[in-house]
Structure formats: C-alpha cells, structure tokens
Amino acid sequence: MRFETKAVHAGGDSDPGTGAVAPPIHLSTTFERSARDGQPLHGYSYIRDHSPTQTRLEEALAAIDSAESALVFGSGMAAASALFQALPGGHVLLPADGYYALRTLAAEFFPRWGLTSALVALEDLGAVRAAVRPDTVAIWCESPSNPLMKIVDIAGLASIAHDAGGLLIADDTFATPALQRSIELGADVTMHSMTKYLGGHSDVQGGSLAFRSRGELVQRVEHVREIIGGVLSPFNSWLVLRGIRSLAPRMRVHCENARAVAQFLSKHPRVESVHYPGLPSHPGHEIARRQMSDFGGMISFLVRGGREEALGVAAKTRVFTRATSLGGVESLIEHRASSEGPGSNTPQNLLRLSVGLEHFQDLVDDLAQALE
Ligand SMILES: *Cc1c(COP(=O)(O)O)cnc(C)c1O
C-alpha cells in the first residue's frame, strides 16, 4: 500500500469489543491476569510497559516509516535519551547544525552513559570519514537540519556508519515520513519529535523511534523505557495517532505554502539569504530532490542587519505567531537565537518559520508588511 493509505489505516482496526471505528483510548494503568496461571490475559500488564492505545500508535509509526517496529516516548528528547542509554559505550558523531537540546544532552549526560561525541558538518562526507573512529558506535543526523536547513546524504552517511560497525540514526522531525523515509535510504533508526508534524496541531508532546529490524537493540531500548519510565500517555498516543491520519495532505499544503514563502523571501531586498532546500540555489537541493518527495514546511532566513532588525520583523507579523516549535496548522515565526539562549551559535539575524496551513497569499502578505 502507498503512504497515504497506510497513514489513514495502520493501527486502526475496529475495536473488537464494540465495533467502534475510531480507536478507543484505554486509560487503564493495570490489566487483568488469568485465574489459571497468573499470566496477563491479553498481553498487557502495567502501563509503564505497554498499553493498547500506545500499541496502535507504534503499529502505525512502523508502517508509515518502513520500519519493522517502533517505540513511543513522552517527548522527542525522551526517545533520543532512551536510545543513547541503550547503546554500548563509545563515540557518537553529531551534526554541527542541529537541534540544540541534543548538543546539551551530549555535553551534560553522555559521559554518564559511557559516550563521547564530536560535532561534525555531516553534509561533508569527507569530513565525516575523517571524524569516524574505531570506537564510533553511531552517527546521528538531522536533514533538513535545525535551524540552518542543511541537507545530508543519508545513504552516504549510512554506508560510512556501517563500514565503521556503527548505526545511522536519523532525526527526521522536519522531513516526516511523508516526505523522507530514512530507513529506506539506509538508516537503522529514525527519531521523530511527534510534538511537531505528526501531532500536527501544537497540542501534544511525544517522541518516537522506528527501527529497521526488530532486533536486540529494540529490546534494549524498550527495557530502558520500562525502567527509566519515559512512556507516552494513552491520551497523547491517541492524539498523535489522530494526527497521523491527516499527515500526507497536511504535508502537501505545508510544502506548497513554504515554496511560495521561500520564493517571496528570496527576492526581497531586506533578506540577506533564505535557507530552504526547495530553492535550486540551496547547496543541498539536488540531494534533497533525490531523498525527499518534497521539501517541507520549514524555512529560515537572514534579515539584512543584525539582531535588532530581525526582532523588528518578527515583532510586526500578524498571521505568523511569535513562538518556538513547529509543525502545527498555524504559522510560527521565531528568533531562534533568543529561544536557544546564551551559548547559541545561531546567527543573531536569523528568523525561523514554520509555515502553516493558512492561505499562502495571506502568509506572503503578512511577511511583506512586516519587512516594509
Ligand atoms: C522538537 C525537536 C526535538 C525534540 O523533541 P521534543 O518533543 O521537544 O522533546 C528533536 N529534534 C528536532 C529536530 C526537533 O525539532
């Protein structure tokens, strides 16, 4: 079946007890056991291990991401942390441009988990080969990356990781499985902050890992989740499952609108540069065309001048809301360096847009008046 069909149906069998077509939310924290042998009657025991609504979401995620299995967590960072805690100790390559909390995780917590790390420009495969060490256990990539929208060659990175005996892990939050399925390109694990496009409505937090194969690594990560406890609640599982049902058509409109906004910005005299992989001038455009079916709804751009000029543009938007996060139906604008705080190496004149599902002309008009 094609992506759109899987997104609508996976994990969606009618409820056997009632015939309900929409999935039920099972809030129970505990499940009855057999009188005969004391074993769980239906495979469920306690909510921190597994629960039925969560299982539906995991089935859906595995199906749409071309994975053999998936695990969901209370946030994207909980998913990432569980995976790193499950790795044998060793060295990890992280993207020089990428989600800032991941760098904090590496700096503050990797040493306790027996891990070391290095930040590498992953879009440069030569630099990656030079940075790989005999003890490299994983390369973590993000494409498009936050906030500079760099594109990495996922198949190329997978072969470098595999030659080194390590894993390629892809944070596909910006791309979503609708546009890029990194497991098909060679990645071993994909991670999604479901807080973003998968939830899709800025009202639920969650994270997921999807695995190329149902092997020992899945069991180790599942054990970390059971013991450390970063599980996703039944209600949040249900909300994300609901979001996935409309992921494909939402992403089509996010991409169309972002294309129009990026084209508008790229011609504006007050804009120094636009980072959007859909623009032919983007250094990763050709790779993005090969490995993505479209270019996504995220854009960043540099305003001529500095911090004050960028903040001044963000101050004037009326349709775009000034807020962090991304992937919801509403458009957001963010002065990223302010959100990342001290220690951020994001350019002070950078604004990041999450282009939503409004009419594209209203978005373009809003930016036009803000840039006046
Ligand atoms: C938001 C985000 C995360 C972290 O996800 P949370 O759900 O906020 O924990 C990780 N990677 C990327 C690219 C993100 O945008």
Side-chain angles (χ1 to χ4, degrees), residues 324-345:
T324 193
S325 199
L326 60 121
V329 295
E330 67 292 310
S331 290
L332 302 177
I333 186 165
E334 180 185 33
H335 183 250
R336 188 70 193 156
S338 298
S339 298
E340 293 180 352
S344 160
N345 44 21

Side-chain angles (χ1 to χ4, degrees), residues 264 360-370:
F264 163 77
F360 76 89
Q361 194 61 52
D362 290 328
L363 299 176
V364 167
D365 291 350
D366 191 36
L367 291 169
Q369 65 79 26

Side-chain angles (χ1 to χ4, degrees), residues 74-78 99 140 142 146 171 173-174 191 193-196 205-207 325-326 352:
S75 69
M77 289 307 295
Y99 190 67
W140 174 283
E142 200 182 302
N146 178 57
D171 177 344
T173 299
F174 276 26
M191 177 270 183
S193 169
M194 306 191 296
T195 316
K196 316 296 171 52
Q205 181 148 58
S325 199
L326 60 121
R352 193 183 81 175

